């Protein structure tokens, strides 16, 4: 993993999969840090399949898709549920306990 990071930093390999997240705020109603960890873990195996991709995990369904519109894919959480988006456009709604599963499904279909 360190070798890959060095190659990316030197510009000799694509950035791979990058996960970004908001710092959380009073509107966050989910364990965002656990969700980010879950998404990162699931994406780790996809990294070697090639291609650059940015995935956003946002704590707020109100601002999340807009603030992370440059991301290829993302999750924006709400109260007990959230949305999955692609390039800032909402493509699916899901209950909180299914957000990571649904995100991975959308990514698998859209890559």
């Amino acid at each position: 993993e360190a070798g890959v990071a060095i190659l990316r930093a030197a510009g000799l390999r694509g950035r791979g999969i990058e996960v970004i997240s908001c710092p959380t705020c009073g509107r966050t109603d989910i364990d965002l840090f656990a969700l980010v960890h879950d998404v990162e873990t699931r994406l780790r195996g996809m990294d070697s399949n090639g291609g650059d991709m940015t995935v956003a995990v946002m704590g707020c369904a109100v601002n999340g898709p807009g603030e992370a519109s440059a991301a290829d894919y993302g999750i924006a959480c709400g109260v007990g549920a959230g949305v999955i988006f692609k390039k800032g456009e909402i493509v699916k709604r899901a209950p909180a306990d299914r957000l990571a599963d649904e995100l991975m499904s959308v990514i698998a279909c859209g890559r």
Side-chain angles (χ1 to χ4, degrees):
E1 237 178 87
V4 172
I6 291 169
L7 290 173
R8 286 184 179 146
L12 300 174
R13 182 168 178 189
R15 73 179 197 281
I17 298 174
E18 179 181 23
V19 177
I20 60 171
S21 180
C22 67
T24 74
C25 70
R27 289 186 295 242
T28 304
D29 189 52
I30 192 168
D31 183 351
L32 191 65
F33 299 111
L35 182 57
V36 169
H37 178 72
D38 186 14
V39 169
E40 286 176 331
T41 300
R42 292 171 186 234
L43 290 172
R44 199 168 289 135
M46 294 178 69
D47 195 58
S48 62
N49 294 334
D52 294 341
M53 178 171 55
T54 301
V55 178
V57 182
M58 308 300 284
C60 173
V62 174
N63 295 328
E67 290 177 0
S69 62
D72 297 301
Y73 299 95
I75 296 173
C77 304
V79 178
V83 296
I84 309 300
F85 58 91
K86 181 177 180 179
K87 296 286 187 185
E89 298 294 321
I90 296 171
V91 295
K92 188 181 270 193
R93 298 182 193 297
D97 64 343
R98 297 268 319 142
L99 286 170
D101 294 331
E102 296 298 331
L103 172 67
M104 297 310 294
S105 173
V106 169
I107 290 172
C109 290
R111 276 195 93 183

